[in-house]
Amino acid sequence: GLSTDTMVLRSRRSTPHGTIEIARGESANCDGSIFTAQIAWPVRTKVAAAAAIALLLQESVCGAADHNMTAFRVCSAGGKRPKVEKGYEDDGEARGGQRLLGALTKIAAADVAVVVSRVYGGVNIGKRRFELIASTATDLLLAVGHEPGKGIVHSWGDGHALGGSPPPAVAPVAAAVAAGGKKRRRGAEAAAEAEAARRAQREAAASAAE
């Protein structure tokens, strides 16, 4: 089954490339796998996007995750068609980062960097994972006011939470990690498609250790 905790926590950080805002929200739980999206904006260059992603990856939700898929889209003004710089990383979740970038492209995301973290819950959820990677990211972007092709066009104060929501608790993620053991495996679905033998050995070793 699928459950979500609607929350948006915002903060502001300084980077060598300027001040960025960060938001986290829409934790989704599907059969024990937890997906959490974080976004950073504005990022005006590929280098700034990489720096923002590095900052997001330091968050506790990423440390607890089995996979941290990342993507960014930067749109530069000028000419009839703006130049778009983009990139993604799967982090062991086969095609996960690619699908995340696809979701950003679909809504014409501009000047944002995104990380979607997944804690594996012990059950393969097939293609449903791609839907959750996309929806957690796009729902969060819409919640903070992203407009297609323009990016996030307004800014709030430090630490503002939509609807007065409390900061997102890491307890559900920590509980999932505890229930699943020490990172039992990385990418069950990926194992079905590539490197099956090697990853099966990891899973067996993790099971034996429990």
Side-chain angles (χ1 to χ4, degrees), residues 67 92-94 129 185-196 199:
H67 307 284
E93 182 75 87
R129 71 194 190 277
R185 28 71 77 222
R186 296 181 63 84
E189 292 85 358
E193 299 161 1
E195 304 180 72
R199 297 194 180 189

Side-chain angles (χ1 to χ4, degrees), residues 1-198:
L2 172 67
S3 63
T4 60
D5 296 315
T6 303
M7 62 181 83
V8 177
L9 177 71
R10 295 178 60 137
S11 62
R12 187 170 293 169
R13 306 285 180 84
S14 294
T15 77
H17 309 280
T19 300
I20 59 172
E21 292 200 56
I22 290 175
R24 184 200 305 182
E26 298 298 340
S27 264
N29 186 327
C30 182
D31 291 335
S33 280
I34 298 174
F35 296 81
T36 307
Q38 297 181 91
I39 57 176
W41 76 94
V43 290
R44 309 292 189 192
T45 66
K46 182 177 181 179
V47 174
I53 287 171
L55 200 59
L56 293 175
L57 290 173
Q58 294 176 19
E59 295 295 312
S60 59
V61 66
C62 293
D66 292 291
H67 307 284
N68 292 298
M69 297 144 278
T70 67
F72 69 88
R73 245 179 141 257
V74 176
C75 301
S76 58
K80 293 182 179 179
R81 298 184 63 182
K83 178 183 176 182
V84 177
E85 287 188 289
K86 57 191 177 182
Y88 71 88
E89 290 289 343
D90 292 330
D91 190 35
E93 182 75 87
R95 299 192 304 281
Q98 182 181 13
R99 295 299 183 94
L100 177 57
L101 177 58
L104 299 186
T105 302
K106 187 175 181 179
I107 65 169
D111 303 335
V112 296
V114 183
V115 175
V116 175
S117 302
R118 179 189 182 185
V119 173
Y120 178 64
V123 177
N124 291 354
I125 59 175
K127 293 181 179 179
R128 183 73 174 117
R129 71 194 190 277
F130 295 137
E131 298 171 14
L132 291 168
I133 290 166
S135 65
T136 51
T138 55
D139 287 353
L140 179 55
L141 283 164
L142 294 174
V144 298
H146 183 276
E147 294 186 13
K150 295 182 180 180
I152 298 165
V153 296
H154 64 271
S155 179
W156 298 332
D158 293 338
H160 183 91
L162 282 181
S165 300
V170 297
V173 175
V177 172
K182 295 183 178 179
K183 296 202 175 186
R184 328 180 142 187
R185 28 71 77 222
R186 296 181 63 84
E189 292 85 358
E193 299 161 1
E195 304 180 72
R198 181 171 63 84

